[in-house]
Amino acid sequence: MVLCALRQQVPRCSSHCRTWARLLQRQRSSCVYSSIHGFNQDEIKEKLQAFHGGSIDLLKQDSGIAVLTINNPSRMNAFSGSMMIDLEERVSQLENWPEGKGLIVQGAAETFCSGSDLNAVRAISNQQDGMKMCMFMQNALTRLLRLPLISVALVEGRALGGGAELTTACDFRLMEAGSVIQFVHKHMGLVPGWGGAGRLVHLVGSQNALKLLGGAVKVDPELGVNIGLVDGVLEGHQKTEGAAPLLQQAENWLSRYTKGPAPVIQAVKKVVLSGRELPLPEALRTEKDIFGTVWGAPANLEALASKSKHK
Ligand SMILES: CCCC(=O)SCCNC(=O)CCNC(=O)[C@H](O)C(C)(C)COP(=O)(O)OP(=O)(O)OC[C@H]1O[C@@H](n2cnc3c(N)ncnc32)[C@H](O)[C@@H]1OP(=O)(O)O
């Protein structure tokens, strides 16, 4: 059905259909774990469902910017099991949003996320269940990062443990003045398991990653910017008179990257993603395929007809 929808969007020739089918195939295979790794998604979902509370809310806006809210205020937006399932479902919805251009991930009630719900963690503290939860969340967060949308984590208050890992599954991170990102795993006798360590090394280098994880360092906006973890600092709207609401500030910040037609913005994200993740020869072939989806497409033809100078 999804493939049919894509065919309707790109009716120009069958080679484009083949390209889209191939890209779609790649998107489907964007999970890290499948049955060949002994991963059974239905089995872990059943287990996670028993730990309910909170929700992950998705608002798709006409502007092409969606807002994903981690919503469990009574536990500082910690991830219950049912929220992990919610997250995976919201990511599926975003994977199939042709009009989408950007995504803001935020926490409810003025804080970002305090990681996994410690009540659930205690209940599944055995080795086997821990591994299954780890694989489930790595799959979900890998798919989040690989969405064809330009994503930003809006950090207000605290992003702790798995919450800190979640910020690294976005393309950008914005911090409110006074907020903190902290990989507290060491204090819990853990290391990141939701893919946060691997992504952190890519973002800040292995030296800085070792310092942040080894010292469970509290990263404030200044340190975050200095080491390249954080892309912008927002004015605390409650402390700074006249400052716009944080979500508004984040939308303004993101809009410079999401201005333009959705197929072009999605193609931008896809070429960067392939360059980030694939060996160069494969990244080049993927870039060619993606280029083929925008070359001669409406936005390209319109630009050729109307513009000749970029001032
Ligand atoms: C691979 C994933 C690894 C992980 O994510 S492990 C989990 C890492 N996260 C943590 O250890 C955070 C533990 N929580 C804290 O340190 C503090 O609660 C925190 C977030 C600094 C907030 O401190 P305060 O502002 O003093 O507020 P508080 O402690 O009274 O918390 C308010 C209510 O929220 C609850 N809460 C906060 N974080 C939670 C969590 N992760 N799981 C379950 N419940 C959590 C906390 O128990 C309290 O509930 P209650 O009001 O006592 O019923």
Side-chain angles (χ1 to χ4, degrees):
M1 216 168 83
V2 178
L3 186 56
C4 292
L6 285 173
R7 282 206 172 108
Q8 278 164 10
Q9 284 164 40
V10 191
R12 288 185 300 132
C13 73
S14 61
S15 84
H16 270 127
C17 292
R18 281 196 298 276
T19 302
W20 272 107
R22 216 164 45 240
L23 292 174
L24 190 68
Q25 185 58 37
R26 279 188 198 152
Q27 193 182 51
R28 280 207 186 109
S29 63
S30 69
C31 287
V32 182
Y33 303 103
S34 63
S35 52
I36 56 167
H37 305 100
F39 178 65
N40 179 337
Q41 174 153 301
D42 293 337
E43 185 195 8
I44 182 65
K45 271 174 112 167
E46 204 180 315
K47 190 142 266 178
L48 291 172
Q49 197 65 64
F51 306 103
H52 41 81
S55 59
I56 305 290
D57 306 330
L58 177 62
L59 175 68
K60 288 181 186 168
Q61 305 183 113
D62 290 344
S63 61
I65 311 276
V67 180
L68 192 71
T69 304
I70 320 300
N71 190 356
N72 193 7
S74 65
R75 293 187 175 168
M76 308 296 278
N77 300 329
F79 263 86
S80 65
S82 61
M83 286 167 72
M84 294 180 191
I85 295 172
D86 265 13
L87 174 72
E88 194 263 338
E89 285 169 4
R90 301 293 166 260
V91 170
S92 294
Q93 289 168 5
L94 289 166
E95 281 170 346
N96 297 298
W97 188 30
E99 297 82 21
K101 300 196 275 185
L103 173 68
I104 297 172
V105 179
Q106 66 166 7
E110 295 171 5
T111 192
F112 188 74
C113 170
S114 66
S116 55
D117 184 329
L118 293 173
N119 303 301
V121 169
R122 279 180 204 109
I124 58 163
S125 61
N126 68 80
Q127 175 84 21
Q128 273 189 340
D129 286 346
M131 290 302 96
K132 288 175 192 162
M133 183 274 289
C134 163
M135 289 193 270
F136 183 86
M137 285 303 283
Q138 280 196 14
N139 273 354
L141 293 183
T142 302
R143 285 170 58 201
L144 177 67
L145 185 58
R146 289 178 180 168
L147 284 172
L149 309 172
I150 301 182
S151 58
V152 58
L154 166 54
V155 181
E156 186 179 7
R158 292 188 179 98
L160 303 184
E165 296 193 61
L166 172 59
T167 70
T168 65
C170 293
D171 297 309
F172 298 112
R173 279 142 296 282
L174 297 175
M175 287 181 84
E176 181 200 25
S179 63
V180 169
I181 298 176
Q182 188 180 12
F183 293 82
V184 294
H185 304 73
K186 189 182 102 163
H187 294 326
M188 302 297 297
L190 290 173
V191 292
W194 295 358
R199 292 188 296 267
L200 186 65
V201 169
H202 279 259
L203 287 168
V204 301
S206 58
Q207 296 296 102
N208 283 322
L210 196 53
K211 287 177 190 165
L212 297 195
L213 299 185
V217 173
K218 283 187 179 170
V219 180
D220 62 20
E222 193 187 355
L223 175 60
V225 169
N226 283 343
I227 61 176
L229 179 63
V230 171
D231 302 279
V233 183
L234 305 180
E235 290 179 323
H237 71 291
Q238 292 191 325
K239 293 143 219 153
T240 314
E241 209 178 313
L246 278 185
L247 186 57
Q248 185 61 57
Q249 292 184 53
E251 292 204 31
N252 292 346
W253 187 92
L254 187 57
S255 65
R256 76 192 84 169
Y257 305 114
T258 53
K259 206 167 149 199
V264 178
I265 306 304
Q266 294 202 5
V268 168
K269 170 69 186 274
K270 287 175 185 168
V271 288
V272 172
L273 190 62
S274 66
R276 186 161 70 196
E277 295 205 357
L278 300 173
L280 189 57
E282 204 185 328
L284 294 176
R285 282 192 292 275
T286 306
E287 187 173 310
K288 172 186 71 66
D289 289 346
I290 296 163
F291 178 76
T293 67
V294 288
W295 176 264
N300 177 227
L301 295 180
E302 207 176 295
L304 288 172
S306 63
K307 287 179 212 155
S308 56
K309 285 186 182 179
H310 303 281
K311 287 188 180 168

